[in-house]
Amino acid sequence: MEKQTLFAGIPDMLDEQKYAHGGNVRRMAETAGCAPEDILDFSANVNPLGPPPWLGQVVGQALQDVDSYPDPECHDLVMAASEKYKIWPTQVLAGNGASELLFALAGMGQHRQAIIPSPTYVDYARACKAHRLPIVEAGMTEDFQVDFPAMGSLLTTPSVVFLCSPNNPTGTMFSPDDLREVAAMFPQSRFVVDASFSDFLPENTDRLIRNRPANVVTVLSLTKFYAIPGIRLGLAFADPEVLLRLKQRMPAWSVNTLAQSVGIKCLRDTQYAAETREQTALLRESLASGLRNIPGIKVLPGTANYLLCRVELIGQDAVMLRDKLLAEHRIGIRLCGNYTGLDDSWFRVAVRSQDENEQLIRAMEAVSGTARPPIIRRNKRTPALMLQGTSSNAGKSVLAAAFCRIFLQDGYNVAPFKAQNMSLNSYVTDQGGEMGRAQVTQAMACRLKPDVRMNPVLLKPGSDTGSQVIVMGQPVGNMAVREYVEYKPRAWEAVKTAYDSLANEYDIMVLEGAGSPAEVNLKHHDIVNMAMARYADARVLLAGDIDRGGVFASMVGTMSLLTPMERSLVEGFLINRFRGDATLLEPAFGQMFEHTGKPVLGTIPYIHSLGLPEEDSVSFKEGLRPDGEKLPADQCVEIVVVDLPRISNFNDIDPLFAEPDVKVRVVTDARDVGTPDAVILPGSKSTVPDMKVLKGTGMAAVLRELAGSGHKTRIVGICGGFQMLGDIVDDPYGLESETTRVEGFGLLPVQTSLAPEKTLTRTRGVHSSSGQSVHGYEIHHGQTVPLSDSLRVALRNNAGEPLGYGRADGRIFGTYLHGLFDADEFRRWFVDQLRMDKGLSPLEHVQTRFDLEDAIDNLASIVREAVCMDSIYKSLGLSGCCAQASLFYKIGG
């Protein structure tokens, strides 16, 4: 990039194109042949949230004073600025927009030249030209940073230097400390810092307003951040003597009455400012991500409410792109060929609302020939009920399943939905998509096939600070927490598309939240709790687990941390897992209403032996999974399940809990294993790290001992557990560890190689020894191959391909098949093998059917009896026919 261009003279003719700006909607409309209001303008950078909600009221009040001249000193406005920025009133001056202040600064006449690092805002040069001030345009570095060292030789001549931070159009920033150092070295020069877009930066950003050298003037625009470009308003911050000379070059009554009143309110509205910074950052990253996915478009990182982009397609430029967008889609973008240092391949786009940003992305995809299928949006208002909780494991998933079945029983087509689920307990649909198991259970309650749209975002933690991110059933990458927060705007688009598509097809939607809606550290990027409730226009039931204690305090506390708008979405409370006489709680209900204005709509009793899969591993790890009725202890076999730090798909064990002659123990400590009849090593999200943990705790040594000839214990490894049983696990791509090869437990002569590609498939097959049919799904990275001819194939799929391997005696085998024990006949065969090993007679016939239908119906019956369904239906606007349907169901019609 060219470093310097010195203009010795001033051109006689003003090049109109050179000083052109964005935002000329009238001209764009003339070109497109439409009305100005039909143009979607991405060429002007204003707040994507639009003007503050109070603007009309403040303007209306200010109109009462338009018959008087405005305050020429802008006293109240200056005081508001001095209060906000903690400076003296004599250090701030108001102007009719930042442009007026910049023009006046260029005309102060104390310097011999202007230095303008380029590319940057074109009106600096225009202002200098108007005052016949010679211009030196100093080039920036290759990554568009101000090159202060290269500027040193120019500053030997007293100069006024125009700097923009964040820079327009590049979005880059310079270090305030670097400027302070340069300003101290060249006190005869003045440095004008245009901070018009700095309000979009984090609040604690150093904007050179307070700790500002004497020869630095900072200019701030209120019109961009507060979306009021039609009300011109800017502020200049400098030493009093500088501002006095500046004011002498400005007209009297520069700032009108309306602008002064609006500016005062702007400077004191911290809530709007905080929301703008938060939302703009999310919208900007979402827009940047979408644009980067378009072939031939380069997007530079941004820090404000706009992005600088470049067309890199051979034979095309931004002019062609602009013309096509305007003609075919009535969308305007800002060409940047008139910026010194840029050419016609560059363009700038403003950050607008999420829907408008998506419209731009799709339009650019269309003109570049990479268009996606159209987004499906709701074409009706679908009644929606949402279950949120005061904490994790409050029973949201189970209650959502109950309401799904109740609505189904009452004659409605109903579907479940959870925007984002964090769980290692996943499931593979018939189409090969991955989703959370809780939504699978809820789909069964609706008698629907699982559909990834019911859980569009699934997070599978691989460490304490990162997860695999799965969107619409497919993995999109492993992300640390901060990376996922930046990705969330794209995830939110997938969530909205999935929800709208489902809502178009069903009569009622039952949504589930996650954790608590009052997690104040997460609310600003929430996509699963109140943000989803707002989008779905859902009525929210807040559930709390009274069995834990403190349920009333947690509910009142949750409500107090919600905003008024969020509280308005809450219909009432559900007290879950109550043991005892529910009438004893009634005195507390009145106090709850006094504190929150919301009623308790139901008290659900503690349900023993629920018989439904758990949402997460909390109950599993705490050993709280209820068993069914059991035979005497001496007639039972004992199965130990090894707990893992990152255990996944623990529901593989659920069918064994229900067997009358099986006692299941979940074990973490190797000393607690004992000599059970069988050990099951379940799946893991992170095989290599979990395998290292088991070695370190002595669990691997215990398993090797049980595998010896002196024991009859059978050992089964499922998925990750299968990989651990082998001799070697290779991780050449570093998916789970920096170690490329790790030794396994050495119980099966197999070798596993982890690979980036993920196997996701529904599978049916046959267990070799028993001949029994099995079914389930595979969900794993990598492949496992035998290292010895002594191994035999333990299971085969219907195509005859191996699903797992085992020892010849059948005592140790591993498989990738999740859901292995769901098959009733195979499960009974396996348990009978353990019985015979123990000297017990086999029971032979299936003792229990692993069928959730009866369990779901039982759950729905209990919840229906405990909850005021009339109130629920009324909140959904379905009170008439649904109340009758509910009554019809209760009397057995």
Side-chain angles (χ1 to χ4, degrees), residues 309-312 316-319 336-337 342-347:
C309 309
R310 187 175 189 176
V311 177
E312 296 186 327
Q316 297 190 29
D317 59 20
V319 178
C336 294
L342 301 181
D343 57 30
D344 284 341
S345 65
W346 295 91
F347 66 97

Side-chain angles (χ1 to χ4, degrees), residues 406-425:
I406 290 172
F407 291 140
L408 180 73
Q409 290 169 339
D410 289 354
Y412 289 100
N413 292 321
V414 58
F417 185 85
K418 185 168 184 175
Q420 172 189 288
N421 202 343
M422 177 175 281
S423 176
L424 292 176
N425 201 24

Side-chain angles (χ1 to χ4, degrees), residues 210-231:
R210 290 187 63 195
N211 301 319
R212 175 186 36 73
N215 57 338
V216 171
V217 180
T218 300
V219 177
L220 190 65
S221 169
L222 274 68
T223 60
K224 297 172 178 61
F225 185 75
Y226 293 94
I228 50 172
I231 302 177

Side-chain angles (χ1 to χ4, degrees), residues 392-410:
S392 295
N393 206 37
K396 300 182 292 292
S397 298
V398 170
L399 291 173
F403 282 107
C404 283
R405 178 52 60 93
I406 290 172
F407 291 140
L408 180 73
Q409 290 169 339
D410 289 354

